[in-house]
Amino acid sequence: MKTISSLLLTFAAASLCPAQEENPFLKETARKAPLADAGASFLTLEEHILVPSDLLDAWLEEHSVEKGAEQLRAAAQEWIAADKAVLDHSALSAGIVGSEFTNSTTIEQIYATEYEPAKERDEWQQATSFETRNLGYTLQGDAIREQGQLVVRAETDTVRMLPHGSYDILAEATREPSDIFIPRFRSIRNSQTIPRDKPDAGDPFGPGNSGRKKTFPSYAAGKVHLVLRADDDVPEPMAKVPKGNVPEYDMPLQLAPDRPVRLVFFRGEPVGDTPAGDKPLADSFQLSMRIIQVDQLQLVAWLQQHDLGTAAKELNPAVESWLQDGSAQVIRALSGEARKGVSSDIEDIKPLEYPSEYKIGKRSPASDGKPSQLEFAVPASFERRNVGTGFYSELTTDGNGPLIRLMLNRVIHGCNTVHNRILRDGRWEPNITFPRFSSNSWHTVLRPGQGEWTLVGSGGAFADDGDVDPDHTVLAFIKLN
């Protein structure tokens, strides 16, 4: 099974299927290079807000975002409170100058890429080959110093699966709405490349683009930036069935004035590092992590009232109060002994075996007055995916105190999805299924304090079936004792 990954991860690595990327829960995960010289700490906030186009355009007629998007972001918060706009996603990411960070909320989507024609009139086409596409939200970047000022560089990417149907007439008539065929994907992304040899080298829409090298869009710290505006779901004109040799096309649909527009805001600020203190870090210490689910609207409203430079510290007492009043809950907690100067893997995982390939069922002969029928597909190959929670770290110290390279992952198996059905006693029963895996991942380098919770970041929460839950978000923390 092939894998197409649209989420760019720095260190390593559903809606639906086991990805063939490097599994961060496997023992074979490659060890990383030693830590490079590190700089000061910073914190970033990415926010996705869906706003009606006419409301946004009316605001822009009287205001400008040329010198920053602070006013627009404040207006969007008022629209959210008035139920005129929707908060779709938010992500906090902590890091240090000179090291990259990645924050991803991922759903692994399996889909068929090849089919065999049905042999009988009561059969669906048979899917024979599959691939995987990662859906969700990814933020990848770093921070640098330019003329003494902090500049945060980040690339945002949002990938969704659009509604789709089957090319098989029978399958389309008997499918369930959640069945998966050959889907359509949509990516909303802001990225940059730097020319290498020739200004026009490479096709930016082509697969190779070998004449350019990747970089991240740059944003001055301390300001709110509108990094992307895109119509959230605008249909494209589709070709009809050709008449003769001349294809006929649908006319482009007129855009609705109140169509939802996706606004992606981004800001980053420097964070005062925790002093090393008088107590040196022992060679052996306790390393803990916890993931807390909170109300996303509550968290974002709180962040709008605080500077990011102090939010990392001030968030701890706020979260504790939310835990006490029941508006937040700890959904994962894990700790173990670690040692300075070596890589530590602390895991709470379990393996899940699942079919990755199927052999098409045979047709049983008619007997006892009953018609012949297709037998269920038989699993022909299996794969393993570890689900659960793990964090992988390497801790050193420098003149400013502890320094930790961290990879924190949470993987859940929400449900199984259907890719083929067969007829049994008047019902179209699932015949080929694949699991849906969903994950949160934070990869970064931090300066953790001792004896207190240090924020790693936040990301999307998941519902029981593995879909993104827009009403909630999750916060990840670590602590050294």
Side-chain angles (χ1 to χ4, degrees):
M1 184 183 302
K2 302 176 182 177
T3 300
I4 300 176
S5 174
S6 64
L7 301 182
L8 303 175
L9 302 181
T10 305
F11 294 83
S15 143
L16 320 164
C17 167
Q20 306 308 304
E21 305 159 13
E22 180 184 48
N23 186 344
F25 287 174
L26 294 178
K27 290 296 185 179
E28 301 88 275
T29 300
R31 301 300 180 188
K32 304 305 173 185
L35 291 171
D37 293 338
S41 299
F42 65 88
L43 184 66
T44 73
L45 174 62
E46 175 196 27
E47 298 170 299
H48 294 237
I49 300 176
L50 304 180
V51 178
S53 179
D54 51 359
L55 182 62
L56 175 63
D57 291 340
W59 188 93
L60 290 174
E61 287 181 1
E62 300 181 0
H63 304 82
S64 172
V65 294
E66 181 180 354
K67 297 182 179 180
E70 286 81 1
Q71 286 184 298
L72 177 57
R73 178 62 188 88
Q77 190 68 21
E78 296 178 357
W79 298 336
I80 292 171
D83 291 329
K84 297 179 180 179
V86 176
L87 174 62
D88 180 64
H89 176 71
S90 62
L92 288 163
S93 302
I96 63 170
V97 174
S99 295
E100 291 190 6
F101 69 91
T102 299
N103 184 335
S104 64
T105 298
T106 306
I107 299 174
E108 298 168 9
Q109 170 70 66
I110 277 186
Y111 61 98
T113 59
E114 296 181 9
Y115 284 87
E116 287 188 3
K119 295 181 174 60
E120 301 291 340
R121 297 180 62 183
D122 63 347
E123 297 178 11
W124 284 20
Q125 289 180 337
Q126 292 288 345
T128 58
S129 183
F130 298 87
E131 291 186 357
T132 303
R133 179 74 181 263
N134 284 340
L135 313 178
Y137 308 85
T138 296
L139 183 70
Q140 183 183 16
D142 60 12
I144 60 175
R145 291 281 183 183
E146 288 186 352
Q147 298 180 348
Q149 301 298 316
L150 179 66
V151 175
V152 182
R153 306 187 300 183
E155 174 182 301
T156 180
D157 190 12
T158 305
V159 181
R160 294 189 334 218
M161 181 178 68
L162 301 179
H164 62 282
S166 171
Y167 291 96
D168 183 300
I169 297 177
L170 177 62
E172 187 61 24
T174 57
R175 62 172 294 188
E176 295 293 330
S178 60
D179 290 351
I180 306 300
F181 300 100
I182 299 179
R184 297 177 297 144
F185 298 105
R186 185 175 187 192
S187 175
I188 299 176
R189 182 179 180 184
N190 186 353
S191 62
Q192 293 181 359
T193 55
I194 300 175
R196 285 180 175 167
D197 300 324
K198 299 179 181 180
D200 58 346
D203 176 5
F205 296 99
N209 194 16
S210 59
R212 298 174 181 267
K213 64 179 181 179
K214 181 179 175 60
T215 186
F216 298 121
S218 299
Y219 307 104
K223 297 176 60 176
V224 178
H225 302 269
L226 178 61
V227 304
L228 194 149
R229 168 189 171 167
D231 290 312
D232 196 54
D233 191 8
V234 176
E236 301 293 341
M238 302 294 290
K240 294 181 178 179
V241 177
K243 294 182 178 180
N245 294 325
V246 181
E248 181 182 353
Y249 291 89
D250 286 327
M251 295 298 294
L253 299 178
Q254 184 176 359
L255 299 181
D258 61 347
R259 67 190 183 277
V261 174
R262 179 176 297 268
L263 301 180
V264 181
F265 295 95
F266 181 81
R267 60 180 169 130
E269 294 184 14
V271 174
D273 289 319
T274 302
D278 297 332
K279 183 180 178 181
L281 184 67
D283 289 338
S284 179
F285 56 93
Q286 193 76 8
L287 182 59
S288 305
M289 75 82 129
R290 65 177 183 176
I291 298 178
I292 300 175
Q293 181 167 294
V294 302
D295 182 277
Q296 181 166 221
L297 286 174
Q298 183 180 35
L299 174 62
V300 168
W302 184 91
L303 289 170
Q304 298 312 305
Q305 304 301 319
H306 294 77
D307 293 330
L308 284 183
T310 58
K313 295 294 183 185
E314 297 171 346
L315 189 56
N316 277 331
V319 170
E320 293 299 333
S321 68
W322 298 338
L323 289 171
Q324 292 178 10
D325 66 23
S327 61
Q329 59 178 328
V330 178
I331 60 173
R332 294 291 187 275
L334 187 61
S335 63
E337 186 173 289
R339 292 186 62 82
K340 184 169 61 177
V342 299
S343 296
S344 298
D345 298 353
I346 302 174
E347 303 171 326
D348 179 11
I349 59 177
K350 59 181 179 181
L352 176 67
E353 301 279 353
Y354 60 92
S356 58
E357 296 180 8
Y358 286 84
K359 183 178 179 180
I360 298 175
K362 297 181 179 180
R363 189 92 185 179
S364 64
S367 63
D368 299 329
K370 296 182 179 180
S372 64
Q373 62 181 6
L374 185 68
E375 297 296 333
F376 284 94
V378 179
S381 181
F382 291 83
E383 292 186 5
R384 172 183 294 178
R385 181 68 190 271
N386 290 325
V387 299
T389 309
F391 61 114
Y392 315 91
S393 63
E394 180 182 346
L395 188 137
T396 59
T397 59
D398 63 9
N400 294 317
L403 191 67
I404 188 169
R405 181 186 295 275
L406 183 71
M407 180 170 64
L408 195 157
N409 298 278
R410 168 201 178 208
V411 179
I412 67 171
H413 172 214
C415 66
N416 292 331
T417 56
V418 178
H419 301 253
N420 184 272
R421 294 179 181 270
I422 62 174
L423 185 61
R424 279 292 184 277
D425 300 323
R427 295 175 58 88
W428 288 91
E429 300 289 349
N431 185 34
I432 294 178
T433 63
F434 288 105
R436 167 190 284 176
F437 295 105
S438 305
S439 64
N440 297 111
S441 296
W442 297 272
H443 303 167
T444 189
V445 181
L446 303 175
R447 290 194 182 278
Q450 297 188 55
E452 61 182 21
W453 289 108
T454 300
L455 175 67
V456 177
S458 70
F462 297 107
D464 291 340
D465 62 358
D467 280 332
V468 175
D469 175 8
D471 294 330
H472 296 92
T473 191
V474 292
L475 292 160
F477 297 88
I478 62 167
K479 183 168 65 174
L480 280 66
N481 283 325

